[in-house]
Amino acid sequence: MARFITKEGYEAIRAEIDFLWKTERPRVVAEVSSAADLGDRSENAAYIYGKKRMREIDSRLRYLRRKIEAVTVVDLATQPQFSTIKFGAIVEVLDDDEETRVFRLVDKEESEPKRGRISVQSPIGRALLGREVGDYVTVRLPKGTAGLEIVSIRYGAGDP
């Protein structure tokens, strides 16, 4: 399955990679080297912690690099309009309580529900993908089942 990420999300990952590789990792390497110069490494907390932090940084770098090599970057500002819900869509729905909710569908790494950004991998995101205005979807959530009627779909830059 193709994975998508917004241009903003891609740039955030690139910035994190750059920070970890060019700033954080060299700092930790210097700390580990200094701690190693102090002698007995088996009881040297700074050395042990530094080595642990190096493993965490290297693991995170591997994860981030794999993530961005396997994605298609979507520029929300230039994304064409579709009649169905796809990655990047801003979707207005009416729930069973007659409350209007607005979501932007993004990758799980970019998900911020308080800003209305939900993951296409989430139960709601999966239920909405491919649907059209007027469709009614039933979503199984941890709190139970929810029904959503799709009121509008639009594409473009900005928050929902």
Side-chain angles (χ1 to χ4, degrees), residues 34-87:
S34 293
D37 290 342
L38 298 176
D40 185 8
R41 296 175 184 171
S42 66
E43 295 181 16
N44 186 329
Y47 178 82
I48 293 167
Y49 173 76
K51 292 297 281 185
K52 179 179 183 260
R53 180 68 183 130
M54 287 283 295
R55 286 190 300 274
E56 291 168 353
I57 291 169
D58 290 343
S59 175
R60 181 71 178 162
L61 283 166
R62 279 191 304 276
Y63 169 77
L64 293 171
R65 287 179 177 144
R66 273 195 311 265
K67 174 142 183 88
I68 63 172
E69 73 183 23
V71 298
T72 300
V73 178
V74 176
D75 184 351
L76 299 175
T78 62
Q79 190 175 18
Q81 298 296 312
F82 298 101
S83 62
T84 59
I85 299 172
K86 298 182 183 300
F87 179 90

Side-chain angles (χ1 to χ4, degrees), residues 94-100:
L94 190 62
D95 66 19
D96 289 336
D97 296 328
E98 299 293 317
E99 289 190 36
T100 300

Side-chain angles (χ1 to χ4, degrees), residues 1-2 27-28 37 47 51 54 67 71 83-84 90 99 104 106 108 110 115 119 121 131 142-143 151 153:
M1 181 176 150
R27 183 186 64 77
V28 174
D37 290 342
Y47 178 82
K51 292 297 281 185
M54 287 283 295
K67 174 142 183 88
V71 298
S83 62
T84 59
I90 296 174
E99 289 190 36
R104 167 158 329 251
V106 296
K108 65 183 176 184
E110 303 174 86
R115 282 184 55 203
S119 165
Q121 294 93 352
R131 302 300 182 133
K143 296 178 185 177
V151 176
I153 304 166

